[in-house]
Amino acid sequence: MKKLFVWIIVLVLLGEFAAAQGGKKIPLLISDHHGDHALWLYRQGGYEKKDMILLDAHGDAERNPQYHVIRESFGWDAGEADRHIGNHNWIHPLSPAPLDSLLWISKISQSPEPQRALGFLRSAASWGMGKAGCINLNELEFSGQGDSAASLFVSIDLDFFYAEDYTPSRVPEVFEKLWEYSRGRTGRVLWAICLSRAWLPDDDYAWELLEQSLKWLIPRTEFEVPEISLFSSRRYDMSRRAEAFRAEGREPPGFYQREADMPDSVRTLLLEIGNRRK
């Protein structure tokens, strides 16, 4: 009887979450470059305000010197806007809308390093983002971020699972925590995931991260069939990491037009999630 009662509660909560989405599924993007998330988010509702969770080894909050060009181009020339968006400064052009608040998560249970947290907060404040914070993942449910009825954007950079020695095996645990928080919202929810190959040790590690992510996503039919820019986006990375590669005479590694290098296990999972009915 107790198990039945628990299942009834779960079904009720799932029903409320589905109703909050207006019967629609959760939009989902899978990319290599984190900068791809900016224009994609704009396409999901223009300047409709959203709370944002950034799960990332890096804060990506540097001021974008082309802010005004990007903002003016968002609505009429997507290509022009996209040309000025970098993987390290893609968030700034989203403020003050669609971005209303920003929480950066760089660790699972530890506190962010004070200097990195301070740098993130100072940078966000410099371009007018007053509602910014740094927390660890385990603090998310107590964050009190925004209004539960507001839209929520969950932006995941899989380099989170390398910079702090979190292995790919921890992907399900981390995604589950983000999912539980998402389900607690009554407003619209959007998710986007990037690999950031240039910040990972090798291709095999990147493919394993993607495989673990897809295995977690596939059973969750609340998500739409994902938009995938993994192999089609060729962004010129202007981060210090990318410049370090170029200083060595190498281009930053990425997955542009590299479908042929994909392991069969990942290919099978991408086909499965791509063929899933909406």
Side-chain angles (χ1 to χ4, degrees):
M1 192 69 184
K2 184 177 180 181
K3 288 184 178 180
L4 177 61
F5 178 70
V6 170
W7 271 111
I8 289 172
I9 292 176
V10 169
L11 290 171
V12 168
L13 290 174
L14 286 173
E16 289 179 352
F17 181 68
Q21 300 299 304
K24 296 181 179 179
K25 296 191 176 184
I26 299 170
L28 174 64
L29 172 69
I30 298 175
S31 67
D32 186 5
H33 301 292
H34 212 160
D36 287 2
H37 291 198
L39 192 59
W40 180 83
L41 180 63
Y42 177 80
R43 287 171 172 159
Q44 302 302 315
Y47 291 121
E48 173 203 31
K49 290 202 170 184
K50 298 172 179 67
D51 295 326
M52 177 176 167
I53 294 172
L54 175 70
L55 184 94
D56 195 338
H58 312 91
D60 293 356
E62 290 190 29
R63 176 185 288 271
N64 192 311
Q66 299 300 319
Y67 174 86
H68 294 291
V69 174
I70 295 167
R71 296 284 294 188
E72 290 170 4
S73 302
F74 260 150
W76 62 275
D77 190 344
E80 178 65 14
D82 215 32
R83 274 190 289 275
H84 301 290
I85 293 171
N87 289 321
H88 62 300
N89 60 13
W90 65 274
I91 299 176
H92 175 206
L94 299 173
S95 176
L99 185 60
D100 189 52
S101 71
L102 174 62
L103 282 180
W104 176 35
I105 299 172
S106 62
K107 297 176 184 290
I108 293 176
S109 58
Q110 298 170 302
S111 298
E113 291 89 347
Q115 284 302 110
R116 295 184 70 210
L118 182 60
F120 169 82
L121 293 172
R122 281 178 173 170
S123 185
S126 75
W127 43 260
M129 172 46 66
K131 292 186 282 186
C134 304
I135 61 173
N136 66 50
L137 182 63
N138 289 339
E139 294 171 330
L140 179 58
E141 63 179 306
F142 309 110
S143 66
Q145 182 194 38
D147 181 348
S148 67
S151 295
L152 174 70
F153 174 46
V154 179
S155 180
I156 299 170
D157 191 328
L158 294 178
D159 73 1
F160 175 89
F161 297 96
Y162 178 64
E164 295 295 331
D165 296 323
Y166 303 138
T167 66
S169 65
R170 303 201 73 171
V171 167
E173 165 199 349
V174 170
F175 279 26
E176 199 64 34
K177 286 181 179 290
L178 294 171
W179 177 235
E180 287 302 316
Y181 183 77
S182 297
R183 291 200 305 181
R185 306 280 293 211
T186 57
R188 188 175 180 228
V189 176
L190 308 94
W191 276 42
I193 298 168
C194 72
L195 267 73
S196 288
R197 169 62 188 88
W199 294 87
L200 299 175
D202 51 46
D203 285 355
D204 288 343
Y205 199 90
W207 292 127
E208 178 62 20
L209 284 172
L210 180 56
E211 183 169 339
Q212 292 298 323
S213 301
L214 292 169
K215 285 180 177 178
W216 184 89
L217 285 164
I218 285 171
R220 284 157 182 85
T221 56
E222 295 91 343
F223 288 93
E224 287 183 3
V225 172
E227 180 178 336
I228 299 174
S229 65
L230 183 62
F231 306 113
S232 60
S233 176
R234 190 177 189 178
R235 185 173 301 280
Y236 187 83
D237 195 335
M238 297 172 286
S239 66
R240 286 184 289 271
R241 174 80 167 182
E243 292 303 324
F245 276 108
R246 295 190 185 99
E248 297 173 355
R250 298 184 291 156
E251 280 300 306
F255 287 123
Y256 176 66
Q257 293 187 343
R258 291 187 54 201
E259 296 98 323
D261 298 334
M262 186 173 21
D264 289 341
S265 58
V266 175
R267 189 184 310 277
T268 298
L269 292 170
L270 280 176
L271 287 171
E272 184 175 350
I273 198 169
N275 291 330
R276 190 172 62 190
R277 288 186 178 182
K278 292 189 177 183

